[in-house]
Protein backbone atom coordinates (compact mmCIF):
# COMPACT_ATOMS: atom_id res chain seq x y z
CA UNK A 1 0.00 0.00 0.00
CA UNK A 2 2.86 2.39 0.83
CA UNK A 3 4.50 1.57 -2.50
CA UNK A 4 1.32 2.35 -4.41
CA UNK A 5 0.92 5.61 -2.51
CA UNK A 6 4.54 6.52 -3.27
CA UNK A 7 4.00 6.02 -7.02
CA UNK A 8 0.81 8.03 -6.78
CA UNK A 9 2.58 10.83 -4.92
CA UNK A 10 5.33 10.95 -7.55
CA UNK A 11 2.65 11.14 -10.26
CA UNK A 12 1.09 14.14 -8.51
CA UNK A 13 4.48 15.86 -8.35
CA UNK A 14 5.19 15.19 -12.03
CA UNK A 15 1.77 16.51 -13.02
CA UNK A 16 1.86 19.64 -10.88
CA UNK A 17 5.47 20.68 -11.49
CA UNK A 18 4.53 21.60 -15.07
CA UNK A 19 2.52 24.51 -13.66
CA UNK A 20 5.01 25.74 -11.03
CA UNK A 21 7.27 28.39 -12.49
CA UNK A 22 9.64 31.18 -11.55
CA UNK A 23 8.37 34.75 -11.64
CA UNK A 24 10.06 35.35 -15.00
CA UNK A 25 8.13 32.51 -16.66
CA UNK A 26 4.80 32.75 -14.84
CA UNK A 27 1.91 34.04 -16.93
CA UNK A 28 0.33 37.16 -15.46
CA UNK A 29 -3.02 36.34 -13.88
CA UNK A 30 -5.68 38.73 -12.62
CA UNK A 31 -6.00 36.72 -9.43
CA UNK A 32 -3.42 35.78 -6.82
CA UNK A 33 -4.38 33.23 -4.14
CA UNK A 34 -2.24 33.12 -1.00
CA UNK A 35 -2.80 30.12 1.26
CA UNK A 36 -2.66 30.53 5.04
CA UNK A 37 -0.22 28.69 7.29
CA UNK A 38 -0.76 29.82 10.87
CA UNK A 39 0.01 32.88 12.96
CA UNK A 40 1.94 33.37 16.19
CA UNK A 41 0.56 34.52 19.54
CA UNK A 42 1.33 38.14 18.63
CA UNK A 43 -0.86 37.82 15.51
CA UNK A 44 2.23 37.96 13.30
CA UNK A 45 2.43 35.37 10.50
CA UNK A 46 4.35 32.21 11.28
CA UNK A 47 7.71 31.91 9.53
CA UNK A 48 6.25 29.68 6.82
CA UNK A 49 3.35 32.10 6.26
CA UNK A 50 5.66 35.13 6.26
CA UNK A 51 7.64 33.38 3.52
CA UNK A 52 4.45 33.16 1.46
CA UNK A 53 3.56 36.79 2.15
CA UNK A 54 6.95 38.10 1.00
CA UNK A 55 6.55 36.07 -2.19
CA UNK A 56 3.00 37.37 -2.69
CA UNK A 57 4.23 40.95 -2.28
CA UNK A 58 6.95 40.31 -4.87
CA UNK A 59 4.36 39.02 -7.34
CA UNK A 60 1.96 41.87 -6.59
CA UNK A 61 4.57 44.58 -7.12
CA UNK A 62 5.76 43.17 -10.44
CA UNK A 63 2.63 41.61 -11.98
CA UNK A 64 -0.10 43.87 -10.55
CA UNK A 65 -2.93 41.32 -10.10
CA UNK A 66 -6.42 42.76 -9.91
CA UNK A 67 -7.38 40.84 -6.76
CA UNK A 68 -5.22 39.17 -4.11
CA UNK A 69 -7.17 36.54 -2.17
CA UNK A 70 -5.88 35.86 1.33
CA UNK A 71 -7.31 32.52 2.37
CA UNK A 72 -6.88 31.21 5.90
CA UNK A 73 -8.60 30.26 9.12
CA UNK A 74 -10.52 32.49 11.47
CA UNK A 75 -11.10 30.55 14.68
CA UNK A 76 -12.38 33.48 16.71
CA UNK A 77 -11.81 37.20 17.23
CA UNK A 78 -8.38 36.45 18.69
CA UNK A 79 -7.16 34.23 15.84
CA UNK A 80 -7.61 35.43 12.26
CA UNK A 81 -4.96 34.46 9.72
CA UNK A 82 -6.43 36.63 6.99
CA UNK A 83 -6.21 39.86 9.00
CA UNK A 84 -2.60 39.09 9.83
CA UNK A 85 -1.92 38.45 6.15
CA UNK A 86 -3.66 41.68 5.20
CA UNK A 87 -1.60 43.70 7.68
CA UNK A 88 1.61 42.14 6.38
CA UNK A 89 0.88 43.03 2.75
CA UNK A 90 -0.30 46.51 3.68
CA UNK A 91 3.07 47.08 5.36
CA UNK A 92 4.69 45.88 2.13
CA UNK A 93 2.95 48.69 0.27
CA UNK A 94 0.14 46.67 -1.30
CA UNK A 95 -3.11 48.57 -1.89
CA UNK A 96 -5.60 47.29 0.67
CA UNK A 97 -8.42 47.71 -1.89
CA UNK A 98 -6.87 44.88 -3.92
CA UNK A 99 -7.12 42.44 -1.01
CA UNK A 100 -10.01 39.98 -0.64
CA UNK A 101 -10.19 38.08 2.64
CA UNK A 102 -11.39 34.49 2.81
CA UNK A 103 -11.53 33.57 6.53
CA UNK A 104 -13.10 30.19 5.71
CA UNK A 105 -10.02 28.71 4.08
CA UNK A 106 -9.54 26.02 6.71
CA UNK A 107 -7.94 23.62 4.21
CA UNK A 108 -6.18 23.79 0.86
CA UNK A 109 -9.13 22.25 -0.93
CA UNK A 110 -11.62 24.53 0.80
CA UNK A 111 -9.59 27.59 -0.18
CA UNK A 112 -9.74 26.48 -3.82
CA UNK A 113 -13.47 25.73 -3.60
CA UNK A 114 -14.08 29.12 -2.00
CA UNK A 115 -12.16 30.82 -4.80
CA UNK A 116 -14.15 28.96 -7.45
CA UNK A 117 -17.41 29.85 -5.73
CA UNK A 118 -16.56 33.55 -5.62
CA UNK A 119 -14.63 34.12 -8.85
CA UNK A 120 -15.45 31.12 -11.05
CA UNK A 121 -12.99 29.07 -13.11
CA UNK A 122 -10.47 31.86 -13.55
CA UNK A 123 -6.75 31.77 -14.14
CA UNK A 124 -5.11 32.12 -10.76
CA UNK A 125 -1.58 32.07 -9.40
CA UNK A 126 -1.25 30.23 -6.10
CA UNK A 127 1.48 31.15 -3.63
CA UNK A 128 2.82 28.54 -1.21
CA UNK A 129 5.98 26.52 -0.64
CA UNK A 130 6.90 24.07 -3.38
CA UNK A 131 6.14 20.98 -1.27
CA UNK A 132 2.59 22.29 -0.78
CA UNK A 133 2.09 23.57 -4.32
CA UNK A 134 2.10 20.05 -5.77
CA UNK A 135 -1.10 19.27 -3.88
CA UNK A 136 -2.53 22.78 -4.33
CA UNK A 137 -2.14 22.67 -8.10
CA UNK A 138 -3.65 19.25 -8.65
CA UNK A 139 -6.60 19.94 -6.34
CA UNK A 140 -7.35 23.32 -7.91
CA UNK A 141 -7.09 21.95 -11.45
CA UNK A 142 -9.29 18.96 -10.63
CA UNK A 143 -12.11 21.34 -9.63
CA UNK A 144 -11.68 23.37 -12.80
CA UNK A 145 -9.35 26.25 -11.90
CA UNK A 146 -6.65 27.25 -14.38
CA UNK A 147 -4.00 27.50 -11.72
CA UNK A 148 -0.27 28.13 -11.66
CA UNK A 149 2.14 27.92 -8.77
CA UNK A 150 4.66 30.46 -7.53
CA UNK A 151 6.89 28.88 -4.90
CA UNK A 152 7.83 30.80 -1.76
CA UNK A 153 11.53 30.31 -1.02
CA UNK A 154 12.76 33.55 0.55
CA UNK A 155 13.10 32.06 4.04
CA UNK A 156 15.27 29.05 4.81
CA UNK A 157 14.04 26.08 6.83
CA UNK A 158 15.81 23.14 8.44
CA UNK A 159 16.10 20.02 6.32
CA UNK A 160 14.28 18.06 9.04
CA UNK A 161 11.28 20.40 8.76
CA UNK A 162 11.18 20.16 4.99
CA UNK A 163 11.35 16.36 5.23
CA UNK A 164 8.47 16.39 7.72
CA UNK A 165 6.39 18.59 5.42
CA UNK A 166 6.96 16.26 2.46
CA UNK A 167 5.97 13.28 4.59
CA UNK A 168 2.81 15.11 5.59
CA UNK A 169 2.04 15.74 1.91
CA UNK A 170 2.64 12.05 1.23
CA UNK A 171 -0.31 11.31 3.52
CA UNK A 172 -2.37 14.38 2.60
CA UNK A 173 -2.51 13.78 -1.16
CA UNK A 174 -4.58 10.56 -1.13
CA UNK A 175 -6.72 11.91 1.72
CA UNK A 176 -7.50 15.04 -0.28
CA UNK A 177 -8.34 13.10 -3.41
CA UNK A 178 -10.95 11.24 -1.37
CA UNK A 179 -12.29 14.67 -0.36
CA UNK A 180 -12.36 15.67 -4.04
CA UNK A 181 -14.37 12.53 -4.84
CA UNK A 182 -16.86 13.37 -2.07
CA UNK A 183 -17.02 16.97 -3.34
CA UNK A 184 -18.07 15.81 -6.81
CA UNK A 185 -20.50 13.28 -5.36
CA UNK A 186 -22.16 16.10 -3.41
CA UNK A 187 -22.45 18.17 -6.60
CA UNK A 188 -24.00 15.19 -8.38
CA UNK A 189 -26.41 14.57 -5.51
CA UNK A 190 -27.47 18.23 -5.52
CA UNK A 191 -28.17 18.07 -9.25
CA UNK A 192 -30.28 14.92 -8.82
CA UNK A 193 -32.25 16.47 -5.95
CA UNK A 194 -32.89 19.69 -7.85
Amino acid sequence: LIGINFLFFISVILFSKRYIWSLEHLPRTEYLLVLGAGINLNDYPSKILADRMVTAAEYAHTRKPKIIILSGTKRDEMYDETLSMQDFLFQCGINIKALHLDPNGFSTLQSCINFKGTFGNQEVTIVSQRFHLYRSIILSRLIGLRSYGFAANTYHFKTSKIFFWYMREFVAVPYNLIKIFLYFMQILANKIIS
Side-chain angles (χ1 to χ4, degrees):
L1 190 60
I2 294 177
I4 293 173
N5 192 29
F6 177 76
L7 291 175
F8 185 66
F9 184 55
I10 294 299
S11 298
V12 168
I13 290 175
L14 292 175
F15 171 84
S16 296
K17 71 181 293 187
R18 298 180 297 165
Y19 302 101
I20 302 171
W21 296 328
S22 64
L23 186 60
E24 295 75 23
H25 298 99
L26 268 174
R28 180 189 176 277
T29 60
E30 292 286 300
Y31 300 91
L32 181 68
L33 174 60
V34 190
L35 301 173
I39 56 177
N40 297 321
L41 293 176
N42 60 359
D43 294 332
Y44 193 80
S46 63
K47 185 179 178 181
I48 190 170
L49 180 55
D51 190 26
R52 297 178 189 184
M53 302 315 300
V54 169
T55 303
E58 180 186 5
Y59 184 94
H61 283 304
T62 56
R63 294 302 180 90
K64 311 293 184 187
K66 182 171 70 174
I67 301 177
I68 302 170
I69 301 92
L70 308 177
S71 187
T73 302
K74 179 181 180 180
R75 296 177 189 165
D76 50 47
E77 295 304 318
M78 301 298 292
Y79 186 97
D80 190 337
E81 288 180 7
T82 59
L83 284 180
S84 178
M85 295 161 78
Q86 176 182 255
D87 291 344
F88 191 103
L89 288 185
F90 179 71
Q91 292 174 21
C92 291
I94 306 301
N95 187 346
I96 199 167
K97 293 181 179 178
L99 305 179
H100 174 88
L101 306 188
D102 169 24
N104 297 311
F106 50 82
S107 72
T108 302
L109 177 58
Q110 193 60 52
S111 293
C112 295
I113 291 172
N114 294 346
F115 177 91
K116 179 183 174 78
T118 303
F119 302 104
N121 292 337
Q122 300 288 344
E123 279 194 327
V124 57
T125 298
I126 301 176
V127 170
S128 188
Q129 281 73 23
R130 182 172 293 274
F131 71 84
H132 184 223
L133 280 175
Y134 297 127
R135 174 162 54 104
S136 305
I137 292 297
I138 196 165
L139 290 177
S140 57
R141 285 192 165 260
L142 281 173
I143 66 170
L145 301 181
R146 292 172 288 160
S147 57
Y148 304 94
F150 184 29
N153 61 0
T154 303
Y155 288 40
H156 297 286
F157 300 94
K158 292 180 180 178
T159 303
S160 58
K161 273 194 171 183
I162 296 172
F163 177 78
F164 168 77
W165 288 329
Y166 269 100
M167 289 300 98
R168 188 178 65 176
E169 291 300 306
F170 180 74
V171 175
V173 166
Y175 170 70
N176 274 263
L177 290 175
I178 293 171
K179 288 170 66 176
I180 280 276
F181 173 76
L182 296 174
Y183 166 75
F184 282 118
M185 290 301 293
Q186 184 63 53
I187 291 175
L188 179 62
N190 291 340
K191 287 183 177 179
I192 292 173
I193 293 172
S194 60

